Amino acid sequence: MRPSNPIARAVFLLPTAGYHAVQKLRETAYKWGLLVGSQPPVPVVSVGNILLGGSGKTPFVIYLAELLRNKGMKPAVVSRGYRGTYRDDYLVVGRGDSSPPVAGPTEAGDEPFLIASRLPDIPVIVGRKRIHPVRAAQKLFGSDLVILDDGFQHLELKRTVDMVLLKGTEDEMFPLGGLREPLSALERAHMVILTGQDASVPRGAERYIRRKPLFRCRLRPVSLYGEGGQAPLSPDSLRDRDVFLLSAIAHPERFARTARDLGWRVAEHLSFRDHHAFTEGELKGALQLGRGAPWVVTEKDWVKLPEWFRRTQDVFALRIAVALDEEVTFLSTLLKMIGRT
């Protein structure tokens, strides 16, 4: 959040300038060849952003992987596996053979486990130095393309296409604002995706992206699902009902806004820090608080909740899907960039 008080802004100016300088020095070192990136064995399409926190990357990665698979390609998804406990060069999370994930969210990280759960027929591999899982994808699974989840800042791996998702709220460098990198970093992007029906190009970013392909996508709630014996429901089924929300994500207010936009009456929203590991006491306390009313969690949180909680009646996860405008043009543009026309 951008501080409005002039004194608070002055306090943040020095660390903001320092963070900006570090990011630009690193970018320049790769640009001038002082640091050299690793060459992958297959084309790499990175999906990233320049904001701290979420901007729809995970649902977009799932959408893109399905789109390319349906086009006859053999994609794999590679991610860092943020906060995963694995220690090897890489960890296979999903084998892409239609079986459930072979590594859990604690070991692999929340997002890779969710992606592997949603894409059982596409390999998902994590590794802190991304060249290792990229090579593993090609060697172990015969993948002919890798989608790099949250890869825009991972400059040590060369990529064929850098996609950047923009929300339109990109402002100033951390800690004064929410940017990981300055807006000028958008010069590295090959393609820009605006996420949200009302999203616009951030002020000051126009000159860096004016000649780049620009598309728009929307994130739409598509279903509610649970393991308590209920069939999947339409999100409209909770319209005008009291609903309790539970989340541990970067921007919980977006989850609450989505719920209200669906016409749900949000009775309570229990919000924890991003990637929080829920305790049994917290979950039992939540059920006591909302006794008799439905609980809804994000998909990212759902995959790490214990089975007993997921099997509770009237506990659901809200599934989000991507709807991309001009999908045909987007796909033809991307295939041309990776040499698969």
Side-chain angles (χ1 to χ4, degrees), residues 199-218:
S200 58
V201 174
R203 184 178 179 182
E206 298 89 348
R207 59 179 171 148
Y208 302 117
I209 65 173
R210 63 167 61 104
R211 295 184 179 89
K212 304 179 189 296
L214 179 67
F215 297 91
R216 181 185 300 276
C217 75
R218 289 164 285 114

Side-chain angles (χ1 to χ4, degrees), residues 63 67 215 322-333:
Y63 162 81
L67 186 67
F215 297 91
V322 166
L324 181 71
D325 297 347
E326 301 181 79
E327 182 178 272
V328 173
T329 303
F330 167 82
L331 183 58
S332 64
T333 302

Side-chain angles (χ1 to χ4, degrees), residues 93-246:
V93 186
R95 297 185 182 277
D97 58 2
S98 299
S99 61
V102 294
T106 299
E107 189 179 13
D110 300 343
E111 287 92 346
F113 182 78
L114 169 58
I115 293 169
S117 300
R118 287 280 302 271
L119 300 174
D121 54 352
I122 293 176
V124 178
I125 314 174
V126 297
R128 289 175 176 83
K129 191 171 184 179
R130 274 32 140 235
I131 187 63
H132 296 307
V134 169
R135 288 171 176 160
Q138 195 266 342
K139 182 178 180 180
L140 298 177
F141 304 108
S143 299
D144 58 9
L145 177 139
V146 163
I147 299 169
L148 187 63
D149 175 35
D150 195 12
F152 192 55
Q153 287 75 37
H154 192 73
L155 302 180
E156 63 188 69
L157 177 68
K158 295 181 179 179
R159 38 292 191 94
T160 312
V161 178
D162 258 314
M163 292 184 189
V164 177
L165 306 186
L166 293 178
K167 294 176 55 187
T169 59
E170 289 78 6
D171 48 15
E172 298 180 84
M173 286 292 292
F174 175 83
L176 195 57
L179 293 182
R180 301 182 183 189
E181 295 188 86
L183 291 174
S184 61
L186 293 170
E187 288 183 322
R188 301 198 314 267
H190 300 102
M191 186 182 294
V192 175
I193 316 293
L194 296 177
T195 59
Q197 185 63 45
D198 300 321
S200 58
V201 174
R203 184 178 179 182
E206 298 89 348
R207 59 179 171 148
Y208 302 117
I209 65 173
R210 63 167 61 104
R211 295 184 179 89
K212 304 179 189 296
L214 179 67
F215 297 91
R216 181 185 300 276
C217 75
R218 289 164 285 114
L219 304 178
R220 22 179 218 103
V222 292
S223 66
L224 290 160
Y225 65 92
E227 296 179 8
Q230 316 96 315
L233 302 174
S234 164
D236 286 339
S237 63
L238 299 184
R239 181 177 293 276
D240 297 324
R241 291 183 59 184
D242 288 337
V243 176
F244 288 76
L245 305 181
L246 179 68

